[in-house]
Amino acid sequence: MTDLAEWLGHRDPRITHETYAHVMPDAPGRLRALMDSVFTGETELSLPLEFEAVSQAA
């Protein structure tokens, strides 16, 4: 959430959470499932270092 807040230009991650949490109510469960599969070796986690739109805007 902190990185997302930074990418969106929010000074405080609470603003991001209060604004967008309602559109992803199942996110905590999806994150737990993903992390469980990463820790058991079923999934390899590969994250982008930055978003393309942010790179283009910079």
Side-chain angles (χ1 to χ4, degrees):
M1 188 63 74
T2 303
D3 289 341
L4 179 60
E6 183 179 332
W7 293 326
L8 292 172
H10 297 158
R11 284 180 267 154
D12 188 331
R14 288 179 292 185
I15 294 169
T16 310
H17 183 267
E18 291 168 2
T19 304
Y20 296 106
H22 71 282
V23 298
M24 48 186 167
D26 63 337
R30 288 186 297 138
L31 177 59
R32 276 191 299 278
L34 173 63
M35 295 311 296
D36 284 346
S37 68
V38 169
F39 291 134
T40 60
E42 296 172 32
T43 301
E44 183 178 325
L45 187 59
S46 174
L47 298 174
L49 296 177
E50 55 187 68
F51 286 108
E52 185 178 321
V54 173
S55 297
Q56 292 173 354

